[in-house]
Amino acid sequence: MKGFIDCHCHISAEEFDSDIEDVVDNSKKNGLIALVAVAEHAGEFEKIIQLSKRFPGFVFPCLGIHPVQGIHPEEQRGVTFQDLDAALPLIEKYKDQLLAIGEVGLDFTPRIVNSETGKEEQRRVLIRQAEIAKQLDLPLNVHSRSAGRPTIHLLKEQGVQKALLHAFDGKPSVAMEGVKAGYFFSIPPSIIRSQQKQKLVQQLPLEHMCLETDSPALGPEKQVRNEPQNIVVAAEYVAKVKGVSLETVMEITKQNALKLFPRLKPFITA
């Protein structure tokens, strides 16, 4: 089965509420064969599960607690253990349907966290979710904004075997520490306007790359709603940088996604 796998998107975002059918149809028309739908907080878990039932074999759920809580910038804050408490019963309830635990991670952006106490709370929440992932034999779908090295070090310390570092914003040298640990890195369409991600792709081996859109964010254009169909933008750029065909990028990133997310295999033939 040929096609792209969007390894990290927020298809449950309210930006898609009015035209979700069209968004999914356009995704399929543009070569997508699977969407990996990540959560940010417990309040959207049920919505993601319902979307996976509405689009079976195409939308695959990941449940987890994001290191940043609060929708609007002025409300945003670092995650606490209380946020995780609300999520745990739902993760247990739906554990057999999950593709991964996510979106989890660390976010040390100064406006989000400006104390060691806040950073330590994020670490505790990530460690707990890493433990859950190991218990369920699931990979982690990971956020690591302004915290690339601390995130990779924590994952390695916790013995995490399978992880996707989404839209990694660290240095290529730090990313290579993740490669040595066997982790994968997903590349969004915003690569066409990000020198940092362009440098990252130059050094990352294609065998450790996946594709993502992070829809509705990280699109080709700033402040314009991103959609899963834009995954081809990321794929074309990776093909150009690596000097290989678009078909090669499609196939290798698909195989990488199947290694990372074993529960995809019954739905997507090699």
Side-chain angles (χ1 to χ4, degrees):
M1 184 188 290
K2 283 188 176 182
F4 298 111
I5 297 174
D6 186 343
C7 289
H8 185 107
C9 67
H10 298 268
I11 202 68
S12 59
E14 62 183 14
E15 286 91 336
F16 296 121
D17 285 351
S18 64
D19 63 345
I20 185 65
E21 294 278 355
D22 290 340
V23 169
V24 168
D25 285 346
N26 289 336
S27 300
K28 293 177 178 178
K29 287 174 184 173
N30 283 275
L32 276 132
I33 54 176
L35 303 182
V36 179
V38 295
E40 293 188 334
H41 55 85
E44 63 179 333
F45 284 11
E46 294 283 359
K47 187 176 183 180
I48 289 172
I49 294 297
Q50 290 309 311
L51 285 169
S52 70
K53 291 177 178 176
R54 186 172 171 185
F55 304 104
F58 188 70
V59 173
F60 296 89
C62 304
L63 301 184
I65 298 296
H66 194 283
V68 179
Q69 295 294 293
I71 296 170
H72 303 293
E74 65 275 9
E75 300 171 350
Q76 289 183 334
R77 58 171 175 79
V79 70
T80 68
F81 233 78
Q82 280 183 309
D83 299 311
L84 182 59
D85 285 342
L88 295 178
L90 290 169
I91 291 175
E92 175 64 23
K93 179 180 178 181
Y94 293 116
K95 61 185 180 184
D96 294 335
Q97 299 175 44
L98 302 184
L99 197 65
I101 299 297
E103 178 176 357
V104 304
L106 301 176
D107 192 313
F108 291 169
T109 309
R111 71 176 179 84
I112 300 299
V113 59
N114 53 20
S115 70
E116 194 54 43
T117 303
K119 291 180 180 179
E120 186 55 35
E121 187 78 347
Q122 286 191 26
R123 290 190 191 98
R124 288 179 63 227
V125 172
L126 177 54
I127 288 169
R128 182 70 188 102
Q129 293 187 98
E131 290 170 351
I132 292 166
K134 282 190 283 185
Q135 289 165 8
L136 299 178
D137 195 22
L138 291 174
L140 288 174
N141 208 318
V142 184
H143 172 105
S144 58
R145 188 166 54 189
S146 301
R149 182 172 273 118
T151 302
I152 289 173
H153 286 183
L154 187 149
L155 295 176
K156 288 164 64 177
E157 285 169 6
Q158 295 303 309
V160 172
Q161 299 292 314
K162 289 186 176 181
L164 178 73
L165 280 296
H166 111 89
F168 191 76
D169 70 354
K171 295 178 180 177
S173 59
V174 176
M176 293 308 292
E177 293 180 36
V179 167
K180 288 176 185 173
Y183 303 150
F184 292 88
F185 293 77
S186 53
I187 310 301
S190 61
I191 186 174
I192 67 170
R193 53 184 175 85
S194 168
Q195 286 190 338
Q196 176 268 333
K197 285 179 176 51
Q198 291 165 13
K199 289 178 182 176
L200 186 67
V201 165
Q202 285 171 6
Q203 293 200 33
L204 277 176
L206 191 52
E207 291 71 26
H208 283 266
M209 262 189 252
C210 292
L211 300 173
E212 67 158 295
T213 61
D214 199 33
S215 302
L218 299 189
E221 299 176 75
K222 267 188 174 181
Q223 309 304 323
V224 176
R225 185 184 78 166
N226 190 20
E227 294 185 23
Q229 66 173 328
N230 287 327
I231 199 143
V232 69
V233 174
E236 287 174 347
Y237 202 97
V238 170
K240 176 182 166 186
V241 171
K242 291 300 186 186
V244 298
S245 68
L246 181 62
E247 289 71 23
T248 297
V249 171
M250 179 190 289
E251 181 60 23
I252 292 178
T253 56
K254 184 190 82 171
Q255 294 300 336
N256 293 343
L258 292 174
K259 289 175 192 169
L260 177 65
F261 303 119
R263 290 188 179 183
L264 273 178
K265 290 178 182 176
F267 302 92
I268 296 170
T269 54

